[in-house]
Amino acid sequence: MSELAKTAQAMVAPGKGILAADESTGTIERRFKSIGVENTEENRRAYRDLLFTAQGLAEHISGVILYDETLRQRCADGTPFAELLAKQGVIPGIKVDTGAKDMALCPGETVTEGLDGLARRCAEYVKLGARFAKWRAVITIGRDIPSPACIAANAHALARYAAVCQAAGLAPIVEPEVLMDGDHSVERCEEVTEWTLREVFAALASQRVVPEEMVLKPSMVVSGKDCARQASVEEVARRTLKILRRTVPAAVPGLAFLSGGQSDERATEHLDAMNRIGGAPWKLSFSYGRALQQPSLKAWRGSAANVAAAQAALIHRARMNGLAATGQYRSELEKKAA
Ligand code: 13P
């Protein structure tokens, strides 16, 4: 088996998933604002230090996605973060896109940028210790959108990114996120997500991307945030599995879902429900940002005195999601921890 295929398999090892800690400086500003913490380089470093030094992180976390700045930072004792993670058996990864930008001639839609100079940046990231990469495409549901143009452009960019990464020695996480924002129905989300995945895998094949050497990071099929009828956990699990089976080759080793604004417990329940249904040809795991970090951020509030509590909150969510990744989560475990 190739090194990249081994990395992709390790990213979705049984009972483990990925911690997305790759918030750009602008995104972390929004998270810090919610807890009244100033967005300085040192605060960003201290927060990531807290996350990556949490005791027992490796038990349920296979890999961490870092942001460019974070990959160059060090923990308090001077060890580079990538080295600290690798020493614990956690694989360091790197976000390589440069963000979703307004798409020309497609009002209300975005296309993700970052292909120019990508091969050169990937070569540097490999030297800094990264072994996998992430690129997020964003699909918005609204009146008359998504457009075929937006889906095609994002699928093409994801495929070009994945090809460049595999050539550079990084296992790509391919993330086409269909946003939850809006009042659309779960049926509409299902239709758009299936359409998106179909186009993404067609583009990946045409760019010669090796499916065994990547991880898909999909969004779940859920009701729009403002839709009156909210699909149940069971319905979300069934609809999501249905379209994934239709579109994702069995050669892909695993899928690591994003949480996309779901509450932390709901994201865990959805993953657990899919694994309980079972029978999928790929591992079904998590690559959560907010759903792993939210309780931790709230516990921290920027104070060194709260670091232990914040770390405990992170480890608890990692454990709950690790159980969900094998269909063994029970909500009573939440209360016990509280
Ligand atoms: P969320 O789980 O908060 O959606 O973040 C995952 C991620 O990495 C988005 O690119």
Side-chain angles (χ1 to χ4, degrees), residues 159-215:
R160 287 273 301 124
Y161 139 80
V164 170
C165 285
Q166 288 185 344
L170 292 168
I173 293 183
V174 172
E175 179 181 8
E177 174 172 4
V178 177
L179 293 179
M180 287 167 63
D181 300 337
D183 63 0
H184 54 272
S185 65
V186 69
E187 289 83 2
R188 177 74 176 135
C189 179
E190 179 180 313
E191 175 184 82
V192 169
T193 310
E194 180 176 351
W195 174 22
T196 301
L197 288 171
R198 224 178 261 298
E199 299 252 352
V200 166
F201 278 95
L204 289 167
S206 86
Q207 296 302 321
R208 306 182 176 176
V209 172
V210 182
E212 289 84 353
E213 298 181 349
M214 61 166 274
V215 168

Side-chain angles (χ1 to χ4, degrees), residues 108-109 138-151 178 188 191-193 195-196:
E109 299 191 286
V138 180
I139 305 296
T140 307
I141 300 180
R143 236 177 85 122
D144 302 326
I145 59 170
S147 64
C150 171
I151 295 202
V178 177
R188 177 74 176 135
E191 175 184 82
V192 169
T193 310
W195 174 22
T196 301

Side-chain angles (χ1 to χ4, degrees), residues 145-326:
I145 59 170
S147 64
C150 171
I151 295 202
N154 277 292
H156 180 76
L158 272 170
R160 287 273 301 124
Y161 139 80
V164 170
C165 285
Q166 288 185 344
L170 292 168
I173 293 183
V174 172
E175 179 181 8
E177 174 172 4
V178 177
L179 293 179
M180 287 167 63
D181 300 337
D183 63 0
H184 54 272
S185 65
V186 69
E187 289 83 2
R188 177 74 176 135
C189 179
E190 179 180 313
E191 175 184 82
V192 169
T193 310
E194 180 176 351
W195 174 22
T196 301
L197 288 171
R198 224 178 261 298
E199 299 252 352
V200 166
F201 278 95
L204 289 167
S206 86
Q207 296 302 321
R208 306 182 176 176
V209 172
V210 182
E212 289 84 353
E213 298 181 349
M214 61 166 274
V215 168
L216 177 71
K217 177 165 175 168
S219 45
M220 298 177 195
V221 175
V222 294
S223 306
K225 240 190 273 174
D226 304 322
C227 178
R229 190 180 86 77
Q230 289 292 311
S232 68
V233 170
E234 185 67 19
E235 183 177 358
V236 167
R238 292 206 174 277
R239 287 185 187 274
T240 305
L241 280 177
K242 174 178 141 194
I243 58 145
L244 290 171
R245 282 179 186 288
R246 287 183 173 187
T247 54
V248 183
V252 173
L255 282 48
F257 290 94
L258 61 95
S259 60
Q262 299 178 33
S263 75
D264 43 13
E265 291 186 22
R266 195 37 76 93
T268 306
E269 288 166 2
H270 284 151
L271 177 62
D272 186 63
M274 284 187 268
N275 278 304
R276 277 179 201 268
I277 293 170
W282 349 261
K283 294 277 181 358
L284 295 171
S285 179
F286 58 93
S287 173
Y288 293 159
R290 282 161 286 180
L292 275 171
Q293 294 183 50
Q294 205 56 41
S296 194
L297 253 183
K298 276 197 197 142
W300 179 51
R301 296 197 173 277
S303 160
N306 298 333
V307 164
Q311 291 179 323
L314 170 69
I315 295 299
H316 174 68
R317 286 264 51 87
R319 192 167 147 256
M320 295 299 103
N321 287 306
L323 289 169
T326 51

